[in-house]
Amino acid sequence: MSGRFITFEGSEGAGKSTQIKVVESFLNSHGITTLLTREPGGTPMAEALRELVVSGNTDRWSPLEEMLIMYTARSELVRTVIKPALEKGVWVLADRFADSTTAYQGYAGGVPLKRIKLLHEIVLGSFAPNLTFIIDLPVEDGLLRVHSRAQTISRFEKHSQVFYNKVRQGYLEIAEDEPDRCHVIDGSEDIENISSSICNVLAKKFAFDLSQ
């Protein structure tokens, strides 16, 4: 595949959506065609599954059931959107991907990590992002951002602080296990500094000229 697949991860309120737009602009300025998507979602069918999993009370689904819904949506998104785009040379930027399942349903929800890994192999084989940015932010700060700006709160924004601390620790462990793919970005910095850090990583990994 000639395109590249870049994912953005982090707990609630980390600022992923803002930085995806920055990377989109950065890549476009270097003549690269991009496609933005999100998880769960990105297709009509996957968006319907998203509504099922993000609405209602926290106990609506068990972590195991959430994992299965996520991978159903993920399978369709990869099959119908991500892989076809990559084959055309498009760079795909995704707001969340498989690391979210590992962090939320695994580290925080208690689904054994080996079970998640096995399901990933069954559904997607060895398919994985070329690069992942994990925007790290103290849980209290992220939740404050979420509750100050949101008109409605999703299921995944209703958990306890203990849950989100497990999510955060999970992401940091994922990054430690896969340092070549995952880059932890300090989300407590101002937006410009975060963007600069991300663009520096992109330039180093893919040999972009920052002077352009």
Side-chain angles (χ1 to χ4, degrees), residues 103-121:
Y104 280 78
Q105 284 76 51
Y107 281 96
V111 177
L113 301 185
K114 289 183 178 180
R115 185 170 296 181
I116 297 175
K117 183 177 180 180
L118 176 60
L119 181 61
H120 185 96
E121 291 173 351

Side-chain angles (χ1 to χ4, degrees), residues 10 19 83 113 118 126 144 146 159 202:
Q19 296 306 322
K83 282 188 174 180
L113 301 185
L118 176 60
S126 61
L144 183 61
V146 167
H159 285 287
L202 283 168

Side-chain angles (χ1 to χ4, degrees), residues 54-128:
V54 303
S55 62
N57 295 323
T58 56
D59 60 356
R60 181 180 187 182
W61 305 102
S62 72
L64 178 62
E65 291 160 351
E66 288 176 354
M67 176 187 73
L68 295 172
I69 295 171
M70 296 296 186
Y71 266 96
T72 300
R74 184 168 299 138
S75 175
E76 199 228 359
L77 178 65
V78 170
R79 176 176 59 86
T80 65
V81 175
I82 296 177
K83 282 188 174 180
L86 294 175
E87 289 167 357
K88 294 176 182 177
V90 175
W91 288 42
V92 179
L93 312 178
D95 186 339
R96 298 194 182 282
F97 194 62
D99 293 319
S100 283
T101 301
T102 302
Y104 280 78
Q105 284 76 51
Y107 281 96
V111 177
L113 301 185
K114 289 183 178 180
R115 185 170 296 181
I116 297 175
K117 183 177 180 180
L118 176 60
L119 181 61
H120 185 96
E121 291 173 351
I122 292 170
V123 175
L124 297 178
S126 61
F127 183 78

Side-chain angles (χ1 to χ4, degrees), residues 37-43 46-47 50 73 77:
T37 190
R38 68 173 182 174
E39 277 215 344
T43 71
E47 288 292 335
R50 178 187 179 90
L77 178 65

Side-chain angles (χ1 to χ4, degrees), residues 78 143 149 151 197:
V78 170
L143 292 178
R149 72 191 181 197
Q151 295 180 344
S197 295

Side-chain angles (χ1 to χ4, degrees), residues 99 107 132 134 168-184:
D99 293 319
Y107 281 96
T132 297
I134 296 174
R168 184 186 186 193
Q169 185 58 38
Y171 274 127
L172 294 176
E173 292 191 24
I174 290 169
E176 185 175 350
D177 290 341
E178 297 189 61
D180 291 337
R181 174 176 69 86
C182 299
H183 291 262
V184 178

